[in-house]
Amino acid sequence: MRSFFLSGLAALVTATLTYSQPKPSPRQLAWQPLETTAFLHFTVNTYTDKEWGDGTESPSIFNPTKLDARQWIKSLKDAGFKMAIITAKHHDGFCLWPSKMTEHSVKNSPWKNGKGDVVKEVADACREFGLKFGVYLSPWDRHEPRYGTASYNDYYKSQLRELLTNYGPISEVWFDGAKGENAKDMTYDFEGYWALVRELQPGAVMFSDAGPDVRWVGNEAGNAGETCWSTINTEGLAPGKADSKYLNRGDATGKQWVPAETDVSIRPGWFYHAAEDAKVRSGKNLVNLYYQSVGRNSLLLLNVPPNREGLFSEPDIASLKEFRSILDETFKNNLVTRQPKLTDKQLATFTTLSANQPLTLDLGTEQSFDRISIQENIANGQHVASGRVEYWDGAGWKTIQTFTTVGYKRLLRFPDVKSSRIRLTMTNANGPVQLAELGVYKASGREE
Ligand code: FUL
C-alpha cells in the first residue's frame, strides 16, 4: 500500500515536472532539423552599393537582366540547404513583388518591363527543388508615407496578406527589429501581424528578436552561445528590445520554447557589393559557422546575396560547394556501431539516461576520432545542462571534453584521440535525458 502510494507520488512528481517544462510546437519541431537555411538579400541596395537604402531610390535602378532564381536555389540545394528566405521588402520599402499597396515596387522597374515578380520566381524555384520558402518583410519602412502613423499597420498587414496568400506554403516569416536612430516613432501592431500569420500560414514559424517561434541569436557573426538553451522568458522582450547576451545563451529556467537562429552573411555585407567579391567566406570558414550554430543547438541562416545581374556569383557558389563537401566527408562514417537507436537518424528513438548514469560505448577496434555529435529528442524538451566525454586509454578513463547544453545537436571538436571505448556522462540535467543520436567521427582534413 505504502509503496503503491510512493510510486504513485513519484509518477505524479515526474508527470508534473515533465508537463511544466517547455516543449517545441509541431512547427518548431519541423523547423529545427532543417539545420542549414539561406537568406537572400536583394533589393535596390544591390544597385546603389548600400546596406540600408533611404527610401528615395527610384524603381528604375532595379534591373537584374539575367535574374535566375533557379540558379540560386539549385546552388543552395546542392549545398544541402533546406529553406530560402527572400527580403520581399527591406528597410528602403522597395517591394520585390508587384504589391497592390504601393507603386514602389518591381512593377515600376525596367526588369521584365515591370511584369516581373522576384518573390514568385523564388517561391517557384523552391518548390521545384524541394526547399522550404520564407519571407522577410521589414517593419521599418523608409519610403511609405504612412510609416509613423497607425494606418501603416494596415499597410503592413495588407502586404503580409499578399505574401501569405499568393505564393503557396510559407515556412518562415522574418520580422526584423532593426530601426535607424533617426527613424520616426512607430508603434507596430506585432500582435496583429502575428495573428495574421497564424491565420493564413499556420505551419510557418515566426522570427523576431524574441520569437514568438524563433529568436535571434544576438549577433550577426555566426556565433550561438556555447551554452544555448532553446528556452527563454519572453516577458518584457520585443523586436528591437532584447538583451543580446540573453538571446545568445537562452535561459535554463525559461518558460517559453523559442530556439535560436544564427543569421550571418557569406560576405561582409548583407547585400551584394562587387568590392566584396574577394571577401567571400571560404567553405572551411562556413564549416566553422556550422559548428558554432547547428553544433550549438541553433540553426544556420546563411545569407547569400544575388549580384546586380540577378545571379549568385562564382566565389559564393564555390564556397557553398566546398562547405557541403567538407561536411559530408566529416560526417560520412559514424564509428558508433551496435547502437541502432542512437545511429538511426531518428530523434524519436532514444535511450533514456539520468544524470551521472554513464553510457559506455565499445567501438569494436581502436579508432582514431576528433569529433562527437550528441542529440536529444527535443520533442520532449531540452534537458542536458552539462556532460563529459571520456576515452579508455588502456589503464583508466581520460576526459576528452566537458560540455554544457545539448538540445537538438551538440558538436564537439577536439584533438585526435585513439581508443576503442568512449564513455558519455550527463553530469547535470533538469530531468531524464532522452539521448536520441550519438556520432563519433574523424574530421575531413579540409576542416580548419
Ligand atoms: C538587420 C538589418 O538591418 C540588416 O540589413 C539585415 O537585413 C539583417 C539580417 O538584419 O537587422
Side-chain angles (χ1 to χ4, degrees):
M1 187 65 193
R2 189 164 174 259
S3 72
F4 175 76
F5 171 75
L6 282 180
S7 65
L9 190 67
L12 186 70
V13 171
T14 317
T16 317
L17 258 180
T18 325
Y19 275 63
S20 61
Q21 284 171 347
K23 296 190 177 66
S25 64
R27 60 176 81 86
Q28 290 169 319
L29 203 52
W31 171 87
Q32 190 89 46
L34 300 180
E35 294 200 354
T36 48
T37 61
F39 231 162
L40 300 163
H41 273 66
F42 192 43
T43 186
V44 286
N45 295 346
T46 312
Y47 299 88
T48 56
D49 229 0
K50 286 192 186 155
E51 279 290 305
W52 279 6
D54 63 11
T56 61
E57 298 80 8
S58 164
S60 66
I61 63 174
F62 185 81
N63 196 13
T65 46
K66 295 190 181 151
L67 187 135
D68 183 3
R70 295 183 71 255
Q71 183 241 20
W72 314 349
I73 304 303
K74 179 164 189 318
S75 308
L76 293 171
K77 165 92 181 177
D78 292 346
F81 285 74
K82 300 284 193 289
M83 172 163 64
I85 302 177
I86 179 82
T87 53
K89 178 186 82 168
H90 203 249
H91 309 327
D92 51 77
F94 181 76
C95 299
L96 292 185
W97 82 105
S99 171
K100 292 200 173 77
M101 300 302 299
T102 180
E103 290 302 303
H104 198 54
S105 83
V106 282
K107 71 184 170 203
N108 286 311
S109 79
W111 176 58
K112 296 198 167 175
N113 296 318
K115 300 277 181 282
D117 183 341
V118 182
V119 175
K120 181 169 189 313
E121 298 208 11
V122 178
D124 288 350
C126 283
R127 209 166 300 126
E128 178 184 343
F129 290 103
L131 268 75
K132 293 184 185 299
F133 174 61
V135 290
Y136 166 115
L137 184 70
S138 173
W140 184 31
D141 187 321
R142 303 177 87 185
H143 178 84
E144 173 51 37
R146 273 170 280 190
Y147 187 84
T149 70
S151 68
Y152 174 77
N153 282 321
D154 300 329
Y155 173 81
Y156 187 89
K157 278 185 263 187
S158 301
Q159 292 203 319
L160 205 47
R161 184 177 285 278
E162 291 178 344
L163 293 171
L164 300 176
T165 45
N166 296 331
Y167 299 95
I170 305 274
S171 297
E172 181 160 345
V173 184
W174 227 83
F175 295 97
D176 196 332
K179 193 163 149 184
E181 295 283 307
N182 57 356
K184 283 187 219 163
D185 260 359
M186 172 73 213
T187 308
Y188 298 118
D189 175 20
F190 278 112
E191 293 299 324
Y193 306 168
W194 294 344
L196 195 63
V197 177
R198 287 285 191 258
E199 178 200 328
L200 299 172
Q201 294 279 350
V205 293
M206 289 184 258
F207 168 99
S208 89
D209 289 353
D213 303 312
V214 175
R215 74 175 193 264
W216 186 40
V217 78
N219 63 68
E220 294 178 342
N223 226 329
E226 296 234 20
T227 294
C228 188
W229 290 95
S230 288
T231 44
I232 56 169
N233 285 313
T234 54
E235 211 175 303
L237 307 182
K241 212 179 112 206
D243 171 357
S244 53
K245 284 212 182 79
Y246 183 76
L247 298 178
N248 190 245
R249 300 167 57 90
D251 185 343
T253 62
K255 304 250 178 327
Q256 285 85 30
W257 185 274
V258 191
E261 178 177 80
T262 304
D263 61 317
V264 56
S265 187
I266 196 168
R267 288 162 173 257
W270 290 98
F271 289 91
Y272 176 82
H273 307 289
E276 293 180 353
D277 279 347
K279 293 185 181 158
V280 175
R281 289 176 186 272
S282 64
K284 271 182 201 212
N285 184 292
L286 298 179
V287 168
N288 185 47
L289 293 183
Y290 177 85
Y291 281 102
Q292 292 180 175
S293 53
V294 178
R296 293 181 186 166
N297 187 36
S298 182
L299 212 90
L300 178 62
L301 176 59
L302 180 72
N303 178 59
V304 187
N307 62 25
R308 288 184 179 182
E309 293 185 306
L311 295 170
F312 275 6
S313 304
E314 281 311 317
D316 308 59
I317 296 176
S319 290
L320 290 173
K321 275 195 183 134
E322 193 195 4
F323 164 71
R324 185 50 59 182
S325 100
I326 295 174
L327 282 185
D328 284 350
E329 201 171 303
T330 294
F331 295 106
K332 189 175 52 192
N333 187 18
N334 189 351
L335 300 173
V336 175
T337 51
R338 304 177 220 171
Q339 292 281 346
K341 277 189 203 162
L342 296 180
T343 52
D344 62 359
K345 301 193 166 84
Q346 301 292 323
L347 296 187
T349 52
F350 51 83
T351 296
T352 304
L353 291 179
S354 316
N356 294 310
Q357 178 196 345
L359 174 75
T360 304
L361 294 171
D362 190 340
L363 302 176
T365 54
E366 185 174 271
Q367 303 279 359
S368 167
F369 53 91
D370 51 13
R371 301 288 183 265
I372 289 182
S373 170
I374 310 168
Q375 295 189 265
E376 286 184 70
N377 173 33
I378 54 164
N380 187 47
Q382 185 179 356
H383 299 292
V384 180
S386 65
R388 178 176 63 228
V389 281
E390 298 158 296
Y391 72 99
W392 181 255
D393 76 349
W397 290 103
K398 293 263 156 48
T399 298
I400 298 175
Q401 208 170 74
T402 58
F403 55 89
T404 55
T405 47
V406 174
Y408 167 73
K409 191 174 268 189
R410 177 83 188 204
L411 294 174
L412 306 177
R413 289 182 279 187
F414 46 87
D416 189 68
V417 165
K418 287 185 185 48
S419 177
S420 61
R421 289 166 80 195
I422 64 164
R423 189 163 78 169
L424 172 67
T425 312
M426 306 308 183
T427 47
N428 192 5
N430 65 15
V433 173
Q434 296 189 350
L435 178 68
E437 290 293 297
L438 188 63
V440 174
Y441 305 95
K442 176 72 197 150
S444 156
R446 291 179 293 145
E447 282 195 18
E448 271 178 347

